């Protein structure tokens, strides 16, 4: 299972950061080019001992000059780097899911069954509907208190087959009761029983979400930054301007 997870992770990363999987096993900073962007672009990744700096072609040369000899922390502390996300995968040797008593109603919906929830709002990390009524969610685990939905863990597909990203939302009134942990654990179990490998993402500033990941039996696997479009709209553009080619 460990090797399967690693293969899924590396396949996703290699696609998103435009490089070969072999590069991800190197102990150095790797520079890659994102070919499908017409604007200055930058995104950074830390995986094992490898750092990946993915940028648009026009920025690549200057970034190589600036980042030459920089450590991982120095690279991630660059002033033109935007938000960082920790991505977790299940630690199957320490899975927290168990069919313990859960005081709220819990239902699992898959694919077209999810469309019955159209119009539901307030669950931006787990279930979002587009204007046409569609959603990227492929599976959801819902907690209900009476007629009210109080929490949702949802999973959406990625470009890698059977590798789905999990997110969770719990209404503020019900936080601190373990609802999020139960939903993520339950959804993880449902997915793995269907031969789907889940992963979980949390902002480095969202300690509550990170705790949910830990309590649900997940361990950190890689960290990346937002894909930053350096088009002059940033409040840090005076700094960004210093790296322009």
């Amino acid at each position: 299972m460990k090797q399967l997870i690693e293969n899924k992770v590396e396949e996703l990363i290699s696609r998103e950061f435009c490089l070969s999987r072999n590069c991800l096993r190197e102990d150095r900073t790797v520079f890659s080019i994102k070919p499908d962007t017409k604007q200055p672009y930058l995104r950074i990744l830390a995986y094992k001992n490898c750092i990946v700096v993915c940028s648009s072609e026009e920025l690549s040369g200057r970034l190589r000059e600036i980042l030459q000899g920089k450590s991982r922390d120095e690279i991630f502390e660059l002033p033109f780097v935007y938000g960082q996300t920790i991505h977790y995968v299940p630690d199957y040797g320490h899975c927290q899911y168990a069919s313990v008593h859960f005081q709220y109603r819990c239902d699992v919906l898959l694919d077209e069954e999810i469309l019955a929830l159209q119009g539901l709002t307030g669950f931006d990390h787990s279930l979002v509907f587009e204007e046409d009524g569609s959603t990227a969610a492929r599976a959801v685990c819902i907690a209900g208190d009476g007629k009210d939905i109080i929490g949702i863990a949802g999973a959406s597909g990625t470009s890698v087959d059977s590798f789905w990203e999990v997110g969770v939302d719990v209404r503020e009134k019900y936080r601190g009761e373990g609802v999020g942990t139960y939903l993520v654990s339950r959804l993880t179990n449902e997915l793995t029983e269907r031969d789907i490998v889940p992963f979980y993402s949390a902002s480095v500033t969202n300690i509550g979400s990170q705790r949910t990941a830990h309590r649900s039996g997940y361990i950190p696997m890689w960290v990346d930054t937002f894909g930053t479009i350096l088009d002059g709209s940033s409040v840090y553009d005076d700094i960004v301007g210093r790296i322009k080619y």
Side-chain angles (χ1 to χ4, degrees):
M1 182 59 74
K2 180 179 179 182
Q3 189 60 55
L4 174 63
I5 292 175
E6 188 171 292
N7 289 341
K8 295 286 188 183
V9 169
E10 291 184 359
E11 185 177 352
L12 180 68
I13 289 174
S14 64
R15 291 182 182 184
E16 292 190 350
F17 285 82
C18 309
L19 76 169
S20 71
R21 288 179 57 181
N22 288 336
C23 291
L24 295 172
R25 303 186 181 105
E26 299 185 20
D27 185 5
R28 66 183 181 94
T29 300
V30 177
F31 294 86
S32 65
I33 303 296
K34 184 175 177 62
D36 56 347
T37 178
K38 296 181 180 180
Q39 294 178 306
Y41 173 91
L42 174 63
R43 191 178 179 194
I44 301 174
L45 162 84
Y47 173 73
K48 294 186 175 179
N49 294 319
C50 181
I51 304 298
V52 179
V53 179
C54 181
S55 71
S56 50
E57 187 171 6
E58 66 268 35
L59 290 180
S60 183
R62 185 67 179 123
L63 285 168
R64 287 173 182 265
E65 294 178 11
I66 293 174
L67 302 180
Q68 186 69 34
K70 298 290 187 184
S71 68
R72 176 186 60 211
D73 289 339
E74 288 173 324
I75 291 173
F76 270 82
E77 289 169 358
L78 290 170
F80 41 84
V81 170
Y82 285 66
Q84 300 175 19
T85 302
I86 307 174
H87 302 277
Y88 299 78
V89 295
D91 183 3
Y92 285 105
H94 300 84
C95 186
Q96 300 295 307
Y97 175 76
S99 55
V100 296
H101 173 71
F102 186 59
Q103 62 177 315
Y104 300 109
R105 184 185 76 254
C106 187
D107 301 302
V108 176
L109 302 179
L110 301 172
D111 292 321
E112 293 184 358
E113 296 174 336
I114 300 171
L115 299 180
L117 300 174
Q118 285 184 44
L120 185 65
T121 60
F123 297 94
D124 294 342
H125 298 98
S126 53
L127 179 61
V128 175
F129 287 98
E130 304 297 335
E131 291 185 1
D132 62 1
S134 65
T135 178
R138 300 289 308 279
V140 295
C141 188
I142 303 167
D145 185 7
K147 295 182 179 180
D148 297 326
I149 294 178
I150 65 171
I152 297 178
S156 301
T158 67
S159 61
V160 176
D161 184 48
S162 299
F163 191 44
W164 293 9
E165 183 172 11
V166 172
V168 64
D169 297 283
V170 177
R171 298 287 191 192
E172 186 173 0
K173 176 182 175 181
Y174 296 89
R175 293 173 189 169
E177 299 183 20
V179 174
T181 298
Y182 182 88
L183 291 175
V184 171
S185 298
R186 172 72 182 278
L187 184 60
T188 298
N189 187 70
E190 295 284 344
L191 295 177
T192 54
E193 286 184 349
R194 293 169 172 80
D195 296 322
I196 297 167
V197 177
F199 70 98
Y200 181 102
S201 303
S203 166
V204 296
T205 62
N206 193 337
I207 303 302
S209 185
Q210 294 171 40
R211 288 177 174 174
T212 296
H214 174 72
R215 291 168 179 162
S216 302
Y218 281 71
I219 55 174
M221 189 72 169
W222 79 98
V223 176
D224 58 24
T225 67
F226 296 165
T228 305
I229 301 297
L230 306 177
D231 60 358
S233 62
S234 167
V235 295
Y236 300 113
D237 194 51
D238 59 328
I239 300 174
V240 173
R242 300 175 193 172
I243 70 164
K244 290 185 177 178
Y245 52 96

